[in-house]
Amino acid sequence: MASSHSSVPVARPSGGGLQGLYRKEQNASPSRCRPIRSLPDVCPKEPTGEGRGLCNGPSVVAEPDRWTVYNSKVNLPAALNDPRLAKRESDFFTKAWGVDFAETEVMPSFYLPNITREHFGPYLQEMTQRERIHERCKAICPNKEEVDAVSSITSSHEKSRAELEQVPKIFMKPDFALEDPATFNTVLPWSHFNSAGGKSSRDMASSRLLQEKLSHYLDVVEVSIARQISLRSEAFFHAMSSQHELQDRLQETQQAVAVLRGRTAAMDRVMCQGPLRALRTALTRNNCVKLHNKLKLMAAVHQTQPTVQLLLSTSEFVGALELIATTKEVLQQELQGIHSFRHLGSQLCELEKLIDKMMVEDFTMYARSDLNRSLREEPQVLEKERLESLVFGLLRQRKLDFLDIYSDEMIVAAKGIVTLCVAECVEHIEEIDTEVVVKLADQMRLMTFPQWFELLKIVFDFFLLYLQRIKATMIVIRNVVVEILDSSQKSRLLQEAAFEPSESPRAPSLLQGEAELAYLTHEGLFISDALSEAQQQSAAAAQEQSSSAGSRVQQNQAKTPSGGDSACSACDASVSREQSFMSGESMMPTELELNRVLNNIQELLYTASDVSHDRCVKVLTARAKDGSLERLSSAEFVSLSQAVEGFVRDTEELCGRRSVSLRGALQSQANRFVHRFHEERKTKLSLLLDNERWKQAEVPAEFQDLVNSIANGRITLPERKAPGPDDRKPTEFLLVNGQKYAVVGTVLLLIRIFLEYCQCVNDIPSIATDMLTRLSDLLKHFNSRSCQLVLGAGALQVVGLKTITTKNLALASRCLQLVVQYIPIIRAHFETKLQPKQSSVLRHFDHITKDYNDHIAEISAKLVAIMDGLFEKVLSKYEVKAPMPSACFRNVCKQMAKMHEAIYDLLPEEQTQMLFMKINASFKMHLKKQLARLGVVNDGGPQHGLMMVDVAFYTENIQALKSLERLNLNMAEIWEQKR
């Protein structure tokens, strides 16, 4: 049954007998001959021609451990009738089947080379040409003997065919049978023998004739058969002799096989049974060790549920989840198919879902207790280890929405902070009855501003502590997420390094093939050494693989916390979390999800800042509902603005985000405050202007100090000083940069008012644009109203002045000049407070400056017009006649002296000179017209002489006035130019 791949080497005949005939070659190389594992025969020994039953057949009674045919695992009919094969294999009886009589891959022989078609290439090339020549010659010249034999055979075949045609066709039919009545009647026609009488000579003759005919047919057939036998006699006798020779060789082969089996049985008894028994014992021991390990693993798995319950009782959610995950892995890999654990997997899944709910509820309780405890309580993070364990467990279970739970509790806690602060402050205020006034907003509106402002600062302090606590908690959560992210990256790098092209250890699944290879190639003394080494390696690999998961289960159960081990170091906790991460890596969130959680942590901190600002806005709007914040003084509103800005700045530094809700609410209140601030000062200015009598006012020392501070670059209101005995007396003029300004009281207050605007912008930079617009409106209002009162003579009706004097006009002009002096300073101050994109609003100051300068020019023109009217009235009656100087010129000089007296102390010298230059020009114009009407010319006549006396008198009187000594009157222009 076995081919040469697994049998012994082929024997060659030698000199002496049967033993010599089947003796192996003795010169074979011992280095190439390796012990080969013999295969037991699957068939009993065949009977020989000598009449023996079974040659050396094994005795089942005497040798029960010897192999017999009854030990076969597969019988021959089953192998032949294999339904899986489409057709029967052609090499069924020649292929090597192996010990188990099953399809196996047979190792190639060590003694036979691998013969391919290339080995026959030279021979085929050499013989191809000869074969072609031979075939060509054979076709052209056939053999004579073959031709004669063919012709004789053809003639004999024709002769035998002719003889056989004499035999009826019925005898040649394959279904010929005399038992058939029809066939029998056809061969033996009984009708010839059944006459009415008895036997006759005719019937006897017919029967004899039929017998001879049948005998003839028999002779013809026998002769044909003899001819055919004679033609094939040589092949027949050759087959008979070959059969006898084959029987002899089979007997010899059977004897050799019997001898070989005897020797093999002796070798098996001496060399194999002991080592195999040792191998079986070692295998049994290994199986017992594996069974013991499995039983210990089953015992550990059996204790999973009590251990999980014990871990949950101490809130060790991470350990419980790790134990469940490891147990499920062991059930799927090591204990799969065990009937007693068939429901444990589903129970662990339900337990895992229960743990998920418990972790969510525990995290909710933690967030509520952490956010609702006293804000002044230390430490900032409550039960840090518990928080880390909860966060790690939630991330392990992919419960990435736990931050939403914290956010909801955070909003509720923020509402409670305001309620708590209001309740604490109301307890100390006896004027508020909490039983009557129930709503918090009403209670806040009943407080005075200092009480409410103190409450607001307390709320700000509490919310800062609240945000610090939230930030500390978020830092702990962030550290856990970052730790998991780092572990994930390390694991990924290790996996990438493991997949690099290098010599990796072989898988344990190959160890079985290694054992078989060691069995065949071991060069030691005993084959059992090789098998034991291979088995030890495979057992060690399998035991290491199977015990890794079980050891984790046992370690998790061994690490079950007791009452005294609850406090552990942060380093141990970190290491255990990293190990837990490595063991449950497939369940952990991806790096993308972890990065999203980190972003959500930062967004939660932003949300906390926004919530804090929103609750503070509620406090602010509750107070402002009745307009009380609009009625604050500028100092009070500035203090409120500074407190809000400080809180916004602190929260921005703490949370890294600028929240706009509180700033927006403050800006809204600031707009209302600015509106009221402006309206109050505008109304105040209007009242001052309506009551102003436009007389020069004394300048108190505090206003002079105010102006001096502005000159030094301090655009702020100085602190009010308490009156003392060493107070300076008021001065007559206001000194600004060395120039004297005669002013009215309204302008002094106006300077203080626009300094209040600048001070308000310093304190509240966000209202700079609005405040600039309002200040522009205030300056425009002062300009327009003063124009109405002075130039428009509105003061006559409003204040009851009898007339608007030149002194009133000069004083108004000087006041306007003082305001113009400070407009660039105000502009520069506001420019520093505005954003670059808001600089366009500064153009209002340019328009205001232009309006003021136009107003000043109009007042100057009004003064000139007053004198112009006087000149026209007086000079229209002028006549050039004695006495000289004339009364007309005396009156003109007197009026100009009064004008000079009225404005000299009010206007500076340059403006006085400029004004009198214009008045002089007007005088010369009217005088020139009058002289032209009178016909007086500069011809040196008497009238010209009288006229020159009046002109000299006019010039002398004008130049006698202060600051007009060097004034060039150019009186020659009064004469008509000669053409």
Side-chain angles (χ1 to χ4, degrees):
M1 298 291 286
S3 66
S4 61
H5 294 293
S6 59
S7 62
V8 296
V10 178
R12 296 182 182 181
S14 61
L18 292 176
Q19 298 293 333
L21 180 64
Y22 293 99
R23 185 175 301 161
K24 298 180 183 179
E25 291 183 352
Q26 300 298 324
N27 59 352
S29 176
S31 61
R32 293 182 57 190
C33 294
R34 297 181 179 178
I36 304 300
R37 181 170 55 182
S38 63
L39 301 176
D41 199 350
V42 297
C43 297
K45 299 182 179 180
E46 299 292 335
T48 62
E50 298 178 357
R52 291 179 298 175
L54 291 175
C55 182
N56 295 332
S59 174
V60 180
V61 178
E63 298 178 50
D65 56 340
R66 294 188 63 186
W67 189 92
T68 66
V69 70
Y70 302 105
N71 293 336
S72 298
K73 296 181 180 180
V74 181
N75 57 3
L76 187 61
L80 291 173
N81 298 316
D82 190 353
R84 295 173 296 181
L85 302 177
K87 61 181 180 178
R88 184 173 298 173
E89 301 174 351
S90 60
D91 58 345
F92 183 84
F93 291 101
T94 59
K95 66 187 296 185
W97 288 93
V99 180
D100 297 331
F101 203 77
E103 293 285 348
T104 57
E105 184 177 356
V106 182
M107 291 182 59
S109 174
F110 294 104
Y111 308 104
L112 296 180
N114 186 15
I115 303 300
T116 61
R117 184 175 179 82
E118 284 72 12
H119 291 82
F120 299 95
Y123 173 78
L124 291 176
Q125 291 178 359
E126 182 181 355
M127 299 304 297
T128 300
Q129 188 65 25
R130 294 182 182 181
E131 184 181 5
R132 291 176 183 173
I133 297 172
H134 174 73
E135 292 294 335
R136 192 183 306 117
C137 294
K138 185 177 179 181
I140 295 173
C141 303
N143 193 357
K144 181 179 180 180
E145 295 179 356
E146 292 180 354
V147 173
D148 295 340
V150 169
S151 62
S152 62
I153 291 171
T154 303
S155 62
S156 63
H157 278 307
E158 291 177 355
K159 183 178 180 181
S160 62
R161 185 181 298 108
E163 292 177 352
L164 288 175
E165 286 179 354
Q166 299 176 6
V167 181
K169 298 299 182 182
I170 191 172
F171 292 104
M172 302 300 178
K173 289 183 178 182
D175 56 349
F176 176 80
L178 289 177
E179 292 85 358
D180 186 10
T183 304
F184 188 82
N185 291 329
T186 303
V187 174
L188 298 175
W190 288 103
S191 59
H192 296 277
F193 303 104
N194 295 333
S195 58
K199 297 181 179 179
S200 63
S201 57
R202 183 181 176 183
D203 294 337
M204 293 179 65
S206 297
S207 62
R208 189 178 296 110
L209 181 61
L210 178 60
Q211 183 178 2
E212 289 178 357
K213 186 187 295 185
L214 293 176
S215 299
H216 175 68
Y217 293 159
L218 178 61
D219 293 339
V220 170
V221 171
E222 288 178 351
V223 169
S224 179
I225 291 173
R227 187 183 295 113
Q228 293 294 331
I229 291 173
S230 65
L231 291 175
R232 293 172 173 79
S233 60
E234 184 179 357
F236 176 75
F237 288 113
H238 178 70
M240 291 297 294
S241 61
S242 297
Q243 179 68 21
H244 289 297
E245 185 180 358
L246 180 61
Q247 287 181 357
D248 295 338
R249 290 196 177 187
L250 283 175
Q251 290 178 2
E252 294 173 358
T253 302
Q254 185 178 6
Q255 293 175 0
V257 169
V259 173
L260 180 61
R261 284 186 171 180
R263 292 179 179 177
T264 303
M267 291 176 62
D268 176 66
R269 187 168 50 255
V270 174
M271 298 181 63
C272 297
Q273 289 183 0
L276 287 177
R277 188 180 301 109
L279 290 177
R280 282 194 295 269
T281 305
L283 182 61
T284 303
R285 183 182 181 279
N286 291 333
N287 290 335
C288 291
V289 171
K290 292 180 181 178
L291 177 61
H292 181 253
N293 292 334
K294 289 287 184 182
L295 291 175
K296 290 196 298 183
L297 188 58
M298 290 176 63
V301 170
H302 182 66
Q303 294 296 323
T304 297
Q305 288 180 319
T307 308
V308 168
Q309 293 176 358
L310 184 59
L311 289 170
L312 293 180
S313 64
T314 57
S315 299
E316 288 289 339
F317 299 108
V318 178
L321 290 172
E322 182 182 355
L323 179 58
I324 290 175
T326 308
T327 304
K328 290 168 68 175
E329 181 183 355
V330 170
L331 286 176
Q332 293 176 358
Q333 296 181 359
E334 304 297 330
L335 302 180
Q336 189 175 8
I338 294 181
H339 188 71
S340 59
F341 290 151
R342 64 186 182 280
H343 300 304
L344 184 57
S346 59
Q347 292 173 359
L348 293 177
C349 291
E350 293 298 327
L351 194 58
E352 193 171 7
K353 294 179 181 179
L354 177 62
I355 293 175
D356 290 348
K357 295 180 181 179
M358 291 178 64
M359 283 194 300
V360 172
E361 293 177 358
D362 199 8
F363 185 78
T364 304
M365 293 175 60
Y366 174 84
R368 186 176 299 123
S369 60
D370 181 44
L371 293 172
N372 291 328
R373 63 193 175 98
S374 176
L375 292 172
R376 297 186 177 89
E377 181 181 341
E378 293 292 340
Q380 288 187 343
V381 180
L382 178 66
E383 299 180 11
K384 181 179 178 181
E385 291 78 10
R386 177 187 174 192
L387 175 61
E388 291 175 344
S389 176
L390 284 171
V391 172
F392 189 83
L394 291 169
L395 290 175
R396 181 189 179 91
Q397 296 303 108
R398 292 179 177 269
K399 299 292 182 180
L400 305 181
D401 56 346
F402 66 94
L403 292 176
D404 297 337
I405 300 173
Y406 195 89
S407 178
D408 296 338
E409 296 296 332
M410 180 179 68
I411 294 173
V412 175
K415 295 179 181 179
I417 289 175
V418 177
T419 305
L420 178 64
C421 292
V422 174
E424 289 181 354
C425 290
V426 169
E427 287 181 359
H428 303 289
I429 301 175
E430 298 179 355
E431 292 81 3
I432 301 176
D433 189 359
T434 56
E435 295 181 358
V436 178
V437 183
V438 180
K439 294 184 178 180
L440 296 178
D442 297 336
Q443 294 175 0
M444 285 188 282
R445 282 191 287 271
L446 291 176
M447 296 179 184
T448 61
F449 177 76
Q451 293 172 344
W452 177 83
F453 188 61
E454 189 64 27
L455 167 65
L456 184 64
K457 290 194 290 186
I458 293 174
V459 171
F460 285 165
D461 294 339
F462 271 50
F463 272 116
L464 287 176
L465 294 174
Y466 165 79
L467 291 176
Q468 290 173 2
R469 177 170 295 175
I470 292 176
K471 184 176 182 180
T473 304
M474 291 301 106
I475 289 175
V476 174
I477 297 176
R478 181 184 180 86
N479 291 339
V480 174
V481 178
V482 170
E483 183 181 346
I484 296 175
L485 191 59
D486 292 341
S487 300
S488 175
Q489 293 174 353
K490 290 179 182 177
S491 176
R492 179 167 52 82
L493 292 176
L494 290 176
Q495 290 178 358
E496 292 176 358
F499 284 124
E500 290 180 355
S502 60
E503 277 298 317
S504 59
R506 290 173 295 178
S509 60
L510 301 177
L511 291 175
Q512 183 178 0
E514 291 179 353
E516 295 179 356
L517 183 62
Y519 182 88
L520 296 175
T521 60
H522 184 63
E523 296 181 357
L525 182 60
F526 298 104
I527 297 177
S528 59
D529 296 339
L531 291 177
S532 61
E533 292 175 3
Q535 287 180 353
Q536 288 176 1
Q537 293 177 0
S538 62
Q543 184 174 1
E544 180 180 358
Q545 182 180 7
S546 63
S547 63
S548 60
S551 63
R552 289 203 304 269
V553 175
Q554 296 172 1
Q555 288 175 3
N556 288 335
Q557 293 181 357
K559 289 191 295 185
T560 302
S562 61
D565 297 334
S566 59
C568 61
S569 63
C571 181
D572 295 339
S574 175
V575 172
S576 64
R577 283 199 303 272
E578 186 171 356
Q579 291 176 352
S580 177
F581 168 75
M582 298 300 292
S583 63
E585 182 179 357
S586 60
M587 302 176 62
M588 281 294 177
T590 61
E591 293 186 11
L592 180 62
E593 292 173 335
L594 291 174
N595 289 324
R596 193 179 298 121
V597 171
L598 291 177
N599 294 333
N600 292 339
I601 290 173
Q602 190 62 41
E603 289 296 330
L604 182 63
L605 200 57
Y606 296 159
T607 304
S609 177
D610 293 340
V611 168
S612 302
H613 281 248
D614 292 341
R615 302 317 301 176
C616 293
V617 168
K618 295 287 185 181
V619 177
L620 199 64
T621 53
R623 177 70 180 183
K625 189 173 183 180
D626 58 351
S628 58
L629 293 182
E630 302 173 17
R631 297 189 293 271
L632 296 178
S633 65
S634 59
E636 290 174 340
F637 193 84
V638 166
S639 62
L640 173 62
S641 175
Q642 290 175 347
V644 172
E645 288 292 335
F647 176 72
V648 172
R649 184 172 55 254
D650 292 340
T651 55
E652 183 178 353
E653 292 176 358
L654 194 60
C655 301
R657 178 174 178 173
R658 179 187 293 270
S659 298
V660 297
S661 58
L662 187 56
R663 284 180 181 270
L666 179 64
Q667 184 66 39
S668 176
Q669 294 300 323
N671 293 336
R672 297 177 186 176
F673 169 76
V674 168
H675 178 72
R676 184 197 58 79
F677 180 87
H678 174 66
E679 290 300 326
E680 285 182 356
R681 279 142 186 81
K682 187 176 181 180
T683 304
K684 181 178 180 180
L685 182 62
S686 299
L687 292 174
L688 290 172
L689 287 172
D690 291 343
N691 294 317
E692 182 61 58
R693 302 189 66 85
W694 298 101
K695 292 183 179 181
Q696 184 178 359
E698 293 181 345
V699 180
E702 60 173 317
F703 283 97
Q704 185 61 54
D705 294 338
L706 189 64
V707 170
N708 294 336
S709 67
I710 295 174
N712 295 329
R714 295 178 55 194
I715 316 298
T716 57
L717 286 172
E719 298 180 358
R720 290 183 177 272
K721 297 181 180 179
D726 55 347
D727 287 346
R728 293 173 293 169
K729 294 181 180 181
T731 58
E732 189 175 358
F733 295 97
L734 185 67
L735 293 176
V736 179
N737 296 329
Q739 292 188 12
K740 293 182 179 181
Y741 284 88
V743 294
V744 296
T746 303
V747 173
L748 294 176
L749 294 175
L750 178 62
I751 294 174
R752 186 176 184 87
I753 287 173
F754 69 65
L755 280 181
E756 290 177 355
Y757 278 80
C758 295
Q759 180 68 39
C760 196
V761 170
N762 289 338
D763 297 330
I764 316 174
S766 60
I767 62 174
T769 305
D770 197 10
M771 194 63 77
L772 185 147
T773 306
R774 304 304 174 93
L775 180 57
S776 302
D777 180 66
L778 185 73
L779 294 174
K780 290 178 181 179
H781 176 69
F782 175 78
N783 186 33
S784 61
R785 188 58 180 163
S786 60
C787 182
Q788 293 172 4
L789 292 173
V790 179
L791 283 178
L796 299 179
Q797 291 81 21
V798 176
V799 185
L801 295 179
K802 295 180 180 181
T803 182
I804 301 298
T805 63
T806 55
K807 193 169 187 176
N808 298 138
L809 291 172
L811 191 59
S813 175
R814 197 57 174 160
C815 290
L816 293 173
Q817 292 174 24
L818 179 61
V819 175
V820 172
Q821 175 75 21
Y822 282 108
I823 287 178
I825 298 175
I826 299 172
R827 176 193 175 109
H829 178 74
F830 273 89
E831 190 173 3
T832 59
K833 306 299 180 182
L834 293 175
Q835 299 293 332
K837 61 182 180 181
Q838 298 173 337
S839 59
S840 59
V841 297
L842 295 172
R843 68 179 183 275
H844 293 302
F845 289 112
D846 299 333
H847 300 316
I848 293 171
T849 304
K850 182 178 178 302
D851 293 341
Y852 271 73
N853 289 329
D854 293 343
H855 190 185
I856 294 170
E858 289 177 4
I859 293 177
S860 178
K862 181 65 175 177
L863 292 172
V864 175
I866 291 173
M867 298 304 295
D868 184 76
L870 176 65
F871 294 151
E872 184 179 3
K873 180 180 178 181
V874 173
L875 292 177
S876 62
K877 300 176 183 181
Y878 175 66
E879 294 180 358
V880 184
K881 61 181 182 180
M884 293 296 170
S886 64
C888 179
F889 268 74
R890 289 177 182 273
N891 189 14
V892 168
C893 290
K894 179 180 178 182
Q895 294 299 328
M896 292 187 72
K898 288 183 178 180
M899 169 69 75
H900 181 272
E901 182 182 1
I903 67 172
Y904 176 74
D905 293 332
L906 302 178
L907 298 178
E909 290 184 3
E910 298 81 4
Q911 294 183 18
T912 303
Q913 293 174 1
M914 185 63 64
L915 179 62
F916 272 88
M917 286 287 292
K918 294 178 181 179
I919 293 173
N920 180 56
S922 175
F923 173 74
K924 289 189 293 183
M925 181 187 66
H926 287 286
L927 181 60
K928 184 177 181 180
K929 289 180 180 179
Q930 185 65 21
L931 292 176
R933 189 168 55 252
L934 294 175
V936 179
V937 295
N938 56 345
D939 55 356
Q943 286 187 337
H944 176 262
L946 293 174
M947 186 66 221
M948 292 305 297
V949 174
D950 281 341
V951 170
F953 175 77
Y954 171 78
T955 303
E956 181 181 357
N957 277 276
I958 294 302
Q959 291 182 347
L961 299 176
K962 292 181 180 180
S963 72
L964 300 180
E965 295 86 358
R966 300 178 182 180
L967 187 65
N968 184 12
L969 299 178
N970 196 10
M971 295 305 294
E973 294 178 353
I974 63 175
W975 306 108
E976 288 288 344
Q977 299 292 332
K978 293 181 180 181
R979 299 178 180 177

